[in-house]
Amino acid sequence: MSRTIARGAFYALALGVWFWMMTNTLSVTQMIFPNQEGLLGGMLPYMALIMFDVGAVAWLFVFLRYSEGIAQRAIAVVVSFISLVGGIFLSVAHLYLGGQTLTSIPAEIGTWVLWAIGGMTLVHGVAIWASHLVNPEEMRLIKTQSMLDNGKALALDRAEAKLNERMDLIADSMSIEYAKNIETELRRYAGISIPLSVSPEAPKR
């Protein structure tokens, strides 16, 4: 019973902290996107939550339930932690920017907030790309295709070597056909009807 109560208290605390951070993040992003018109414009502050508080929880679940392989797990847990730190930073920024008069507002805090949002966008974009790239199944397909490419390249090299060995015979046969075609055109042009002087020869071995 006590464990159930403790677990319930823990999750209640976690939800409370998460809601607190999301509220602060939303308040800061609404300052960055004021007076936005239309559906998409009004959604911008809420979409910014994805980069911070929602992103931290989403990447945590990716780490716990979806990731395969060390590389994917490492990406998920690192991005989850960075998102959490970013959400905490925006919460602190909102404490300064929310209208308080207890202390002075740092002059560069607005720049820091903008860099944080831009940086988190970059982190999430690169992490999603890298996570797909290091997926074990994708890695298997990439290595398989690489081996196929190497096999084809080797086969072409060997085919070229074999053809080079027989190039004299091939060139002789081709020269006979070329000579016949050229002589035929010349005779047709000159109106000559005597038999061709070039005849196929058996290839020498």
Side-chain angles (χ1 to χ4, degrees):
M1 182 66 178
S2 60
R3 288 177 60 86
T4 301
I5 294 174
R7 182 178 300 174
F10 171 77
Y11 283 113
L13 173 64
L15 287 173
V17 171
W18 192 42
F19 184 75
W20 159 259
M21 291 176 59
M22 285 197 302
T23 302
N24 284 296
T25 300
L26 183 60
S27 297
V28 172
T29 53
Q30 285 175 334
M31 296 177 189
I32 298 173
F33 302 107
N35 304 321
Q36 294 291 321
E37 297 181 356
L39 178 61
L40 292 179
M43 289 177 60
L44 283 175
Y46 295 91
M47 294 174 67
L49 291 173
I50 298 173
M51 302 299 160
F52 297 94
D53 313 295
V54 175
V57 176
W59 280 106
L60 180 60
F61 276 106
V62 170
F63 171 74
L64 295 175
R65 295 288 183 268
Y66 179 73
S67 296
E68 297 180 1
I70 296 176
Q72 271 198 337
R73 289 189 177 93
I75 292 172
V77 73
V78 168
V79 178
S80 177
F81 179 76
I82 294 175
S83 300
L84 177 63
V85 172
I88 293 172
F89 168 73
L90 289 191
S91 293
V92 173
H94 185 243
L95 293 179
Y96 279 102
L97 301 173
Q100 58 83 29
T101 57
L102 299 176
T103 186
S104 59
I105 301 175
E108 299 297 323
I109 192 168
T111 302
W112 297 341
V113 168
L114 293 179
W115 274 107
I117 295 176
M120 286 307 305
T121 303
L122 175 64
V123 168
H124 281 282
V126 172
I128 292 171
W129 172 80
S131 184
H132 280 84
L133 186 64
V134 300
N135 181 283
E137 179 62 19
E138 296 298 330
M139 294 292 291
R140 184 188 69 80
L141 293 175
I142 291 172
K143 289 183 179 180
T144 300
Q145 187 60 51
S146 178
M147 288 187 288
L148 288 173
D149 293 340
N150 291 337
K152 291 177 181 178
L154 182 60
L156 286 174
D157 290 341
R158 292 185 177 179
E160 183 179 8
K162 292 180 183 300
L163 285 174
N164 286 334
E165 294 175 358
R166 298 171 54 82
M167 194 56 69
D168 288 340
L169 295 176
I170 295 173
D172 285 342
S173 298
M174 293 178 65
S175 66
I176 293 171
E177 292 299 321
Y178 287 162
K180 286 173 57 180
N181 292 335
I182 294 171
E183 186 173 353
T184 298
E185 291 296 323
L186 291 174
R187 288 173 178 276
R188 182 182 298 114
Y189 179 79
I192 301 174
S193 60
I194 62 176
L196 295 177
S197 63
V198 179
S199 60
E201 296 180 2
K204 300 179 181 178
R205 298 184 179 275

